Amino acid sequence: MFFHTHDGTRLAYEDYGQGRPIMFVASSMLCSDMWEYQIPYFVERGYRCIALDRRGHGRSDRPSSGYDLDTGADDLAVLIEQLDLHEVTLVGHSMGGAEVARYLARHSDARIAHAVLVSAMLPFLRQTDDNLEGVPGALLDASLAALDADRPKWLARQAQAFFATHLGNDVSPAQIDFTLRQCLDTSPWATRQCQRNVVDFDHRATLPEIGVPTLVVHGAADFSAPVDVTGRRTAKLIPGAVYHEYPTAGHGLYVSHRDQFNDDLLAFITAR
């Protein structure tokens, strides 16, 4: 299924089940297919599950612009309004978590029941004079340069670290290869633009204004979004946030720790 955004871009989405809606917002370089271990779980428990392909990703159009977080949040708002969703649980992974945060900053939370930030690229990754907890700029810039120089190599080098398989997480080589292929199928232009936009956006002023119940889930072994830079700080900034940290999880905990994550998410949305 498809819808059109304010600038005419056609975006794809999937919609399964009936009941209270859960909107899944994928990571940069991944599409709605990443949620294959969450959507059936929640549909079987009486929820309606909607998953969006960000522009440049999956089956959506590949325009030259709109890969900033504000546009991503606005695209999400269009879909929520067109489907006339209410009491929505927003679940965002990585860049998707940052887009969820921007949605709440830019749009009314009247339609939103819960926010769930999974391995989210929040609150501000780049180290600056007033953000000493961030990642040194030289490291971020070197990573972006390596991405520009050889995108397949950059992705392949991080594939196993993404799931922290070195800690004994049971993720098959086939699953790792499947995830890598999803990333490679994403528009190279979109990949570069998304990576640059997400590391340089400062959410610190707006996270304390989030007024809906929020769950923050992060892996202690997250290589892509180090937990001391992201998850722990995010949970402290959001009033009343519930925080779950998985000691052996990497960035891809939605696969490696899917049973624990699904159960924690269900417990959160049924308790509040």
Side-chain angles (χ1 to χ4, degrees):
M1 291 175 284
F2 299 90
F3 71 102
H4 288 85
T5 67
H6 293 304
D7 65 359
T9 301
R10 191 178 79 150
L11 301 185
Y13 71 97
E14 299 185 7
D15 190 345
Y16 302 97
Q18 297 179 352
R20 290 183 62 184
I22 303 175
M23 177 77 75
F24 291 96
V25 188
S27 168
S28 169
M29 294 179 278
L30 293 171
C31 65
S32 54
D33 292 345
M34 71 171 281
W35 302 108
E36 69 170 294
Y37 301 117
Q38 281 69 52
I39 290 174
Y41 177 94
F42 285 96
V43 169
E44 290 167 0
R45 286 159 177 79
Y47 290 88
R48 179 182 180 186
C49 294
I50 302 117
L52 168 69
D53 284 354
R54 179 185 296 104
R55 54 179 67 204
H57 295 62
R59 293 154 288 271
S60 291
D61 284 353
R62 295 183 167 201
S64 62
S65 62
Y67 299 104
D68 58 286
L69 293 173
D70 285 350
T71 301
D74 294 347
D75 290 348
L76 181 61
V78 171
L79 180 57
I80 291 172
E81 290 163 9
Q82 287 194 11
L83 296 179
D84 194 24
L85 302 178
H86 296 273
E87 292 294 303
V88 183
T89 294
L90 289 175
V91 181
H93 179 265
S94 193
M95 182 176 178
E99 287 174 338
V100 167
R102 286 309 293 160
Y103 173 91
L104 293 170
R106 291 173 63 81
H107 300 275
S108 168
D109 64 8
R111 294 177 178 265
I112 309 304
H114 312 92
V116 182
L117 308 173
V118 189
S119 309
M121 293 289 192
L122 296 166
F124 182 24
L125 267 70
R126 185 177 292 273
Q127 187 180 86
T128 60
D129 289 343
D130 71 341
N131 187 43
L132 296 178
E133 303 95 331
V135 178
L139 294 179
L140 292 175
D141 292 339
S143 179
L144 293 171
L147 171 65
D148 290 345
D150 192 333
R151 183 174 58 101
K153 178 181 178 181
W154 185 88
L155 287 164
R157 287 180 62 182
Q158 301 185 57
Q160 289 187 309
F162 186 83
F163 296 112
T165 54
H166 60 289
L167 297 179
N169 294 322
D170 184 16
V171 181
S172 71
Q175 177 69 63
I176 294 171
D177 181 64
F178 173 64
T179 302
L180 178 59
R181 284 187 283 110
Q182 286 184 72
C183 293
L184 289 171
D185 284 343
T186 297
S187 157
W189 177 261
T191 296
R192 289 175 171 85
Q193 297 304 308
C194 287
Q195 289 298 301
R196 281 163 170 76
N197 286 323
V198 76
V199 301
D200 283 319
F201 202 102
D202 186 353
H203 302 259
R204 290 175 295 173
T206 55
L207 290 182
E209 298 174 356
I210 292 178
V212 298
T214 302
L215 172 65
V216 179
V217 182
H218 219 94
D222 193 324
F223 174 82
S224 303
V227 66
D228 54 338
V229 176
T230 56
R232 294 171 186 165
R233 295 174 66 201
T234 298
K236 290 178 181 178
L237 284 170
I238 300 173
V242 175
Y243 181 57
H244 291 311
E245 185 174 307
Y246 301 166
T248 61
H251 204 54
L253 63 82
Y254 62 94
V255 170
S256 64
H257 292 67
R258 62 194 182 200
D259 293 339
Q260 183 178 2
F261 170 58
N262 290 349
D263 290 346
D264 285 345
L265 175 53
L266 180 63
F268 176 74
I269 62 180
T270 54
R272 290 170 174 254

